[in-house]
Amino acid sequence: MSMRLPFFNNKKTKLNETPELDTIPKHVAIIMDGNGRWAKKRGLPRVAGHKEGMDVVRQIAKAASKCQVEILTLYAFSTENWRRPKSEVDYLLRLPKEFLHIYLPELMENNIKIETMGYVDMLPDHTKEAVDYAKEKTKDNDGLILNFALNYGSRFEILQAVKQIITDMENDELSFDKLDEQRFSEYLYTTGLAEPDLLIRTSGEKRLSNFMLWQIAYSEFWFTDVLWPDFKEETFVQALDDYQQRKRRYGGV
Ligand code: FPP
């Protein structure tokens, strides 16, 4: 059964007035880009863009929750981001703790569940402790899953899946014949999560940057020139509205 979402009837957003719940993307993944350029335009240090970007994470998580998106995956720190100056890396890795310190009560109020994906063992203890605490605290929430990609790289993810598969085959825990796409995907960080229906990248860049390469095989892509710190609820709803106009064929006709 489909339902009307009152949220979309907001005149300011000039959206399709009759969206149906069954056309809302279940899983939206976002490559949040443009923080540095946003700061530079204002003569501010790059980290000021990341700080502003953190607040946008809060707004978009609330918007996604309101729109009844089930999973919102955000690319917060990639395996390549270690190449940035140490001060910027340190800042980026302090943001999850700061975000959760400020917004955890609000996330709880909104029934949001925190998840992470990535090679978390390499993260500083304070980052791991903050996300572990938030994951434990929110584990029984059954609203939006807010999934942070932290120290995430898709090639690394696929490679570690292959290594684990080989190990499981050597230990007779997985047979060669049983390995299919479904079984393979269970070795990825996203096991148990639906694949992204919609992938958004901000700031005008049109690259995937090693993000969810397996999982986005059939995702719709949506690009905007808007820099992440300027990305508003209206922009997010615009992306959902565009998504609703598309016909997904999955290779069929
Ligand atoms: C890319 O912009 C953005 C990042 C590498 C970091 C994204 C992080 C946030 C938006 C904040 C995360 C918040 C939480 C709660 C974890 P860029 O710095 O590459 O921008 P540029 O291309 O303009 O230089």
Side-chain angles (χ1 to χ4, degrees), residues 72-249:
L72 178 67
T73 295
L74 301 176
Y75 206 2
F77 191 87
S78 76
T79 46
E80 288 73 33
N81 286 153
W82 295 103
R83 296 183 196 140
R84 296 185 177 210
K86 185 174 181 308
S87 57
E88 186 173 342
V89 168
D90 289 348
Y91 191 90
L92 281 169
L93 294 178
R94 275 200 306 273
L95 282 183
K97 183 177 178 179
E98 185 170 345
F99 174 81
L100 293 165
H101 179 72
I102 304 171
Y103 298 124
L104 193 54
E106 195 177 286
L107 297 172
M108 288 298 291
E109 269 167 39
N110 285 283
N111 194 24
I112 293 174
K113 181 177 181 173
I114 298 289
E115 293 278 358
T116 54
M117 64 175 195
Y119 185 36
V120 285
D121 288 1
M122 261 179 79
L123 296 173
D125 287 344
H126 63 81
T127 314
K128 279 189 285 191
E129 282 160 17
V131 294
D132 284 349
Y133 178 76
K135 279 158 87 168
E136 176 59 27
K137 195 91 182 137
T138 61
K139 71 177 189 320
D140 295 326
N141 290 350
D142 58 5
L144 176 78
I145 295 175
L146 179 55
N147 183 31
F148 286 107
L150 281 172
N151 197 25
Y152 176 84
S154 190
R155 288 183 174 181
F156 179 84
E157 176 188 35
I158 292 170
L159 196 58
Q160 66 83 28
V162 170
K163 287 181 176 175
Q164 190 59 50
I165 286 167
I166 293 169
T167 307
D168 287 356
M169 283 185 181
E170 283 172 353
N171 295 332
D172 290 331
E173 282 163 16
L174 177 68
S175 80
F176 184 85
D177 295 337
K178 288 258 163 64
L179 183 62
D180 57 11
E181 290 182 12
Q182 172 59 33
R183 192 56 73 93
F184 186 89
S185 64
E186 288 164 12
Y187 283 83
L188 301 174
Y189 295 128
T190 44
T191 180
L193 292 183
E195 291 176 356
D197 301 291
L198 175 64
L199 174 84
I200 297 174
R201 184 170 188 149
T202 61
S203 90
E205 307 295 346
K206 296 185 179 67
R207 292 187 291 276
L208 294 177
S209 301
N210 202 13
F211 190 52
M212 303 188 90
L213 301 179
W214 173 278
Q215 295 91 338
I216 57 168
Y218 289 103
S219 307
E220 295 291 327
F221 292 178
W222 195 82
F223 298 107
T224 174
D225 288 339
V226 173
L227 305 174
W228 178 252
D230 291 327
F231 194 88
K232 300 282 174 270
E233 181 169 328
E234 287 78 10
T235 333
F236 181 71
V237 172
Q238 178 71 57
L240 298 198
D241 189 55
D242 280 2
Y243 170 87
Q244 291 180 320
Q245 314 304 321
R246 299 192 190 177
K247 297 232 178 323
R248 301 180 76 193
R249 293 196 297 271

